[in-house]
Amino acid sequence: MANSTDNSSNATSDPDGSGSRRRLFSRKPKAAKPAKKPGTLKRIGEVFAMTRRNDPNVIWIMVLAFLAVVAVGLLIGFLIRNVVTMLIIAIPLAFLAALFILSRRAERAAFSQIEGKPGASGAALSVLRRGWILKDEPVAVNARTQDAVFRAIGRPGIVLVAEGPVNRVKPLVNAERVKMNRIVPGVPVQVVHAGNGEGQVPLQRISKKLQKMKKNLTRQEVSAVDKRLSALGTRMPIPKGVDPFKARPDRKAMRGR
């Protein structure tokens, strides 16, 4: 009986004979740790590397900005006879000045990488601040020329951002303007032409252009306009070759501002 009891207890503690009783106090395997996000210094390094590839002079401009701020701090320190204190204040400010230069140059470099590509105007809109409702895909496209019209809805009203030569993209813009006036009558519709030609706005200035527009709607009206347009399904199929997700400015560079 004793033997049978021992055997049964062994069977209970180790039913499959695999020595699970030995593993009773063994350590549990560690769960896989989620991948760490790159730190601030690493992100700054990535932004700097990207910017330097497109703008080799950025390092010298940053150094000049750093030295200029330190020199001003030293001058003030000599005047007030407290050089050490002014250096403690000036050095962090010099680093901020260098980072400010980097962020500006990085923004310019990021936009230069997507300039001329289909969907670049939509990418330029993606850096708009809060208060705007954007569509990633164009609302009107010429499949032959790949001219496109993107739409942003904000307190200034509806803004159509046209991509392509002004005269060639004009029919697309006019058709979209008529459609907007019919669906949401009374809502201001403004047009911005993206590009570097006459009457056009460079990519890096599009967001600033929209931000400076006069506010005509309340936040509630902005939401109502978006719901009205979404309910009527104004979305268009995107022709081959126009992929706004392939024309994105580097967001890391944008965050440096």
Side-chain angles (χ1 to χ4, degrees), residues 133 155 217-227:
I133 301 174
R155 294 193 63 186
L217 305 178
T218 64
R219 290 186 177 87
Q220 291 74 18
E221 288 171 335
V222 171
S223 179
V225 170
D226 176 59
K227 289 178 181 178

Side-chain angles (χ1 to χ4, degrees), residues 32-49:
K33 295 182 179 179
K36 291 184 178 180
K37 295 182 179 180
T40 302
L41 292 178
K42 186 175 181 179
R43 289 200 302 268
I44 293 174
E46 292 173 351
V47 171
F48 176 77

Side-chain angles (χ1 to χ4, degrees), residues 4-23:
S4 63
T5 303
D6 292 339
N7 291 338
S8 62
S9 63
N10 289 338
T12 303
S13 60
D14 190 10
D16 57 355
S18 59
S20 60
R21 185 166 57 180
R22 293 181 181 178
R23 297 195 302 270

Side-chain angles (χ1 to χ4, degrees), residues 146-178:
Q146 293 192 354
D147 294 340
V149 178
F150 291 84
R151 186 179 71 213
I153 306 171
R155 294 193 63 186
I158 298 173
V159 180
L160 303 176
V161 179
E163 183 176 285
V166 175
N167 292 330
R168 197 175 69 189
V169 79
K170 190 174 181 179
L172 275 180
V173 172
N174 290 340
E176 193 63 25
R177 190 200 294 270
V178 169

Side-chain angles (χ1 to χ4, degrees), residues 53-106:
R53 284 195 301 269
N54 295 273
D55 185 4
N57 293 326
V58 66
I59 186 170
W60 301 113
I61 298 173
M62 291 174 65
V63 169
L64 286 175
F66 181 90
L67 293 177
V69 175
V70 172
V72 171
L74 283 173
L75 179 61
I76 296 174
F78 281 122
L79 291 176
I80 65 174
R81 297 181 180 180
N82 195 344
V83 175
V84 175
T85 301
M86 287 309 303
L87 272 180
I88 294 173
I89 296 173
I91 290 176
L93 291 178
F95 275 113
L96 289 177
L99 288 177
F100 178 79
I101 295 295
L102 175 62
S103 68
R104 290 295 184 183
R105 293 278 174 162

Side-chain angles (χ1 to χ4, degrees), residues 84-138:
V84 175
T85 301
M86 287 309 303
L87 272 180
I88 294 173
I89 296 173
I91 290 176
L93 291 178
F95 275 113
L96 289 177
L99 288 177
F100 178 79
I101 295 295
L102 175 62
S103 68
R104 290 295 184 183
R105 293 278 174 162
E107 180 181 350
R108 187 181 303 176
F111 280 118
S112 69
Q113 290 181 343
I114 64 172
E115 191 169 2
K117 295 181 180 179
S121 301
L125 289 173
S126 68
V127 301
L128 276 171
R129 297 175 184 175
R130 293 180 181 179
W132 289 88
I133 301 174
L134 311 171
K135 289 181 70 66
D136 288 323
E137 65 275 4

